[in-house]
Amino acid sequence: MRKNFEDKSFFVSGGAGSIGSSIVKRLITYNPKVVKVLDSNETALYDLELELQSNKLKTIVGDIKDYESLKNNLEGVDLVFHTAALKHVPLCENNSFEAVKTNVIGTHNLIEAAISGNVKKFITISTDKAVNPTNVLGATKRIAEQYIGEINKISNTSYVTVRFGNVLGSDGSVVPLFKEQINKGGPVTVTHPEVTRYFMTIREACQLILQASKMAQGGEIYGLDM
């Protein structure tokens, strides 16, 4: 892993979030040239800066809906890890246009900026809800996946998708809701009485993302074995 990442330049969208920041912390240990971290949450970015105290870290307050900002910051980047998204199912249902703007148009902007900047590899984080989508989150992520698959055929950049299930401790996790419901004595709201849910930790998920980025040649969709 170190051999693959050492002295490389990285860009992590949504890099102050739970998954993004975990990837950033792992990348910093591999002696990179630079890790650029973009997030719209300035407080979380500031906290990440204080925690890492690294001269290899460059924090950027910005939004993936701003193409010009992305274009300026992706020049000379080797690998992009795209974790920025709206990911809470009820909020995406109630704010469907915003979900489309971030998850679809924002992803499109980042892909176009990656092409402009001659990025070598682009890893995007998707969701198992993109399989036969039944909600806005799944649908927007599936559209992004399909666009990534098509653009990979005509671009010099290698595009890869990694699908997540439930990640313990992540910002989009359902577990805090379940814990609160249990503390109140129930009921626990699951999709179906017979449903089986699978989980992994953030540490496990991020390690698998990095492994997928090393293995991938372009065009793959990886599903994490939960």
Side-chain angles (χ1 to χ4, degrees), residues 91-101 136 140:
L91 286 176
C92 286
E93 292 297 308
N94 295 330
N95 301 272
S96 55
F97 187 54
E98 291 303 318
V100 170
K101 283 200 294 184
V136 171
T140 56

Side-chain angles (χ1 to χ4, degrees), residues 86-161:
L86 295 187
K87 57 181 74 73
H88 286 279
V89 172
L91 286 176
C92 286
E93 292 297 308
N94 295 330
N95 301 272
S96 55
F97 187 54
E98 291 303 318
V100 170
K101 283 200 294 184
T102 297
N103 296 352
V104 178
I105 298 172
T107 300
H108 171 269
N109 288 343
L110 197 53
I111 287 170
E112 292 297 312
I115 293 171
S116 176
N118 294 313
V119 170
K120 295 180 178 64
K121 195 171 283 188
F122 187 110
I123 297 89
T124 189
I125 306 307
S126 190
T127 171
D128 53 6
K129 294 174 180 65
V131 183
N132 300 324
T134 58
N135 52 42
V136 171
L137 170 60
T140 56
K141 285 293 194 176
R142 184 60 186 145
I143 293 168
E145 285 185 2
Q146 289 178 315
Y147 182 66
I148 286 165
E150 291 303 312
I151 208 74
N152 184 73
K153 298 174 184 177
I154 58 173
S155 172
N156 292 326
T157 303
S158 297
Y159 291 91
V160 184
T161 296

Side-chain angles (χ1 to χ4, degrees), residues 202-222:
I202 290 179
R203 182 182 178 87
E204 290 170 322
C206 290
Q207 183 68 18
L208 289 170
I209 292 168
L210 296 182
Q211 288 181 4
S213 73
K214 182 176 181 293
M215 293 159 48
Q217 299 301 307
E220 300 94 339
I221 296 178
Y222 288 100

Side-chain angles (χ1 to χ4, degrees), residues 1 36 40 47 67 70 72 75 91 112 123 138 150 164 170 173 217:
M1 202 70 81
K36 298 180 179 180
S40 58
D47 290 342
Y67 172 71
L70 296 176
N72 292 337
E75 195 69 40
L91 286 176
E112 292 297 312
I123 297 89
E150 291 303 312
F164 270 26
S170 72
S173 175
Q217 299 301 307

